[in-house]
Amino acid sequence: MEQLPENDHIWNRKLIHLLWWILLIYEVAAMIGFLFDIYGQPTQWLHSFLQFQVIPTGLQLALMGAGYLAIHFLKRYSDFIMIIWTMTMVCIYIMCIPELMSSYELISIPIILSSVYFQKKYIIFAYSLGLASLTALVPSQVYKGYLITPSELIVTLTVLSATALVCFAIMRKGRTLHAQLGASTLREQDLLIRNVMIDRLSKVDALTELFNHRSFQEHTDHLISHMPYDTPLELALMDIDNFKKINDTYGHWVGDVVLKTIGGLLKDMLGPDDMSFRYGGEEFAVLFVGKTHEEVLAVCESFMQIIRETEIPEMPGRPLTMSIGLAPYNRNTMKKAWFQQVDECLYIAKRNGKNCIHTYLSDPYTG
């Protein structure tokens, strides 16, 4: 089972704030009691002030200072220090407040506190410290004249033991919930990763690692709907020349090498605003965003030259060429008509001898 973190400084700071609140509440209650004592026994006000105000407050402030120093210099043992701190605070109140001098059950408070760390060693330590404190308190209280009967001692020991057992049950339940939460988080993370992978597989071509035809349609629709009116958008359809012959001559696995190579070259060549897709078979599509027609044409010419200079080791001595159809998007043209324009340009490039670019705005360019 996964271990919960030790020395939780955030929790310890909260507990220290709680101790300050307890001290503040005691000071307010003691001051109210002191005022009643002045009213009821005017001659005994100094004794009451010393017994219920000065001595407990001085001891508690000294304890606070010692606690801060101990945690500062012994951070590694801060959890144990908090338990000792709380136990000492309880013992001071039991010793200084007459109404609490027989309330040994208050020793169970630090045991309850130890359960927030969700580890057995802290509960065992708090329980052992409680027994030791009880062993020290009883003789000192008897010395002051506050006797404890065997039945009271048995009740106190029973309360301490029952508190420890309840804390063990709380700890086990908390650790079980923590483990279940961890397992649930892992399942959610695994499901998220699977969904991302499935989404990627549905949008990315596994061979070329370019976006597929479905992604092309979605991205094109998004650009047309959200792109600023004056932003130029141009589509290039690229087709590998004589690809069927490559497959027939060298085998389909070599054809896959060619497709993968071209896909990698496209990703390396395009700018951050442009997107490349495997349109289908040996055809690739590129959406150019924010470029003039001259800039797009220059990029396509440069890419065709790179393709011509690329050597496929599995096809020694055989040149690799592509034909490209190119057309800009017109807001007054339907998307389907735009695609048909680009497809027609690609058909003309093929018909004009391949290894060339044909644009919807100009005559064919032959490399």
Side-chain angles (χ1 to χ4, degrees), residues 3-7 76-77 79-80 83 111 114-115 117-129 168 171 175:
Q3 291 292 319
L4 294 173
E6 297 188 41
N7 304 319
R76 182 179 178 184
Y77 305 101
D79 297 341
F80 291 104
I83 295 172
I111 302 176
S114 66
S115 65
Y117 300 113
F118 287 99
Q119 295 200 35
K120 287 182 180 179
K121 63 181 180 181
Y122 295 117
I123 299 176
I124 294 173
F125 175 75
Y127 179 67
S128 302
L129 186 62
F168 278 123
M171 180 203 69
R175 292 176 72 87

Side-chain angles (χ1 to χ4, degrees), residues 81-277:
I81 292 172
M82 285 305 306
I83 295 172
I84 297 172
W85 187 342
T86 311
M87 186 68 73
T88 307
M89 181 179 240
V90 170
C91 291
I92 290 173
Y93 283 134
I94 291 175
M95 292 175 64
C96 294
I97 302 175
E99 290 81 5
L100 299 180
M101 285 186 175
S102 299
S103 302
Y104 299 109
E105 297 84 0
L106 294 176
I107 296 174
S108 62
I109 292 176
I111 302 176
I112 297 172
L113 178 145
S114 66
S115 65
V116 304
Y117 300 113
F118 287 99
Q119 295 200 35
K120 287 182 180 179
K121 63 181 180 181
Y122 295 117
I123 299 176
I124 294 173
F125 175 75
Y127 179 67
S128 302
L129 186 62
L131 294 178
S133 300
L134 179 64
T135 304
L137 280 174
V138 170
S140 66
Q141 299 296 75
V142 171
Y143 177 77
K144 293 180 180 179
Y146 294 93
L147 300 179
I148 181 172
T149 64
S151 60
E152 289 176 336
L153 184 60
I154 291 172
V155 169
T156 300
L157 292 172
T158 302
V159 170
L160 296 182
S161 301
T163 302
L165 292 175
V166 170
C167 289
F168 278 123
I170 293 173
M171 180 203 69
R172 284 194 293 269
K173 182 63 175 179
R175 292 176 72 87
T176 300
L177 292 174
H178 180 266
Q180 292 174 347
L181 178 61
S184 176
T185 301
L186 288 176
R187 286 195 298 269
E188 289 180 3
Q189 290 175 346
D190 183 60
L191 181 60
L192 179 61
I193 292 172
R194 289 185 182 183
N195 289 338
V196 170
M197 292 178 64
I198 291 173
D199 184 64
R200 175 178 170 80
L201 289 174
S202 67
K203 294 183 177 180
V204 175
D205 176 62
L207 178 63
T208 61
E209 296 186 354
L210 299 177
F211 289 105
N212 58 22
H213 187 89
R214 172 188 170 186
S215 297
F216 169 74
Q217 296 291 344
E218 292 177 353
H219 192 68
T220 303
D221 290 337
H222 179 79
L223 285 175
I224 291 174
S225 301
H226 298 87
M227 186 178 63
Y229 186 83
D230 57 347
T231 300
L233 174 63
E234 199 146 349
L235 172 62
L237 265 184
M238 306 177 177
D239 187 90
I240 303 172
D241 295 332
N242 304 312
F243 187 72
K244 184 177 184 303
K245 191 173 182 180
I246 293 174
N247 280 334
D248 293 341
T249 304
Y250 300 99
H252 287 274
W253 71 276
V254 176
D256 289 345
V257 172
V258 171
L259 291 170
K260 191 170 184 179
T261 301
I262 293 176
L265 292 173
L266 272 174
K267 286 191 291 185
D268 294 339
M269 179 200 71
L270 296 178
D273 295 329
D274 308 323
M275 289 193 67
S276 55
F277 306 83

Side-chain angles (χ1 to χ4, degrees), residues 5-51:
E6 297 188 41
N7 304 319
D8 191 335
H9 303 299
I10 296 177
W11 260 113
N12 287 338
R13 281 198 296 270
K14 291 181 179 180
L15 291 173
I16 291 173
H17 292 159
L18 177 62
L19 296 182
W20 275 112
W21 274 107
I22 292 174
L23 179 59
L24 178 62
I25 291 170
Y26 169 77
E27 291 300 319
V28 173
M31 183 60 67
I32 294 173
F34 173 65
L35 294 176
F36 277 104
D37 284 341
I38 292 178
Y39 179 77
Q41 299 178 334
T43 59
Q44 301 293 324
W45 70 269
L46 181 60
H47 178 268
S48 298
F49 182 71
L50 291 174
Q51 181 178 2

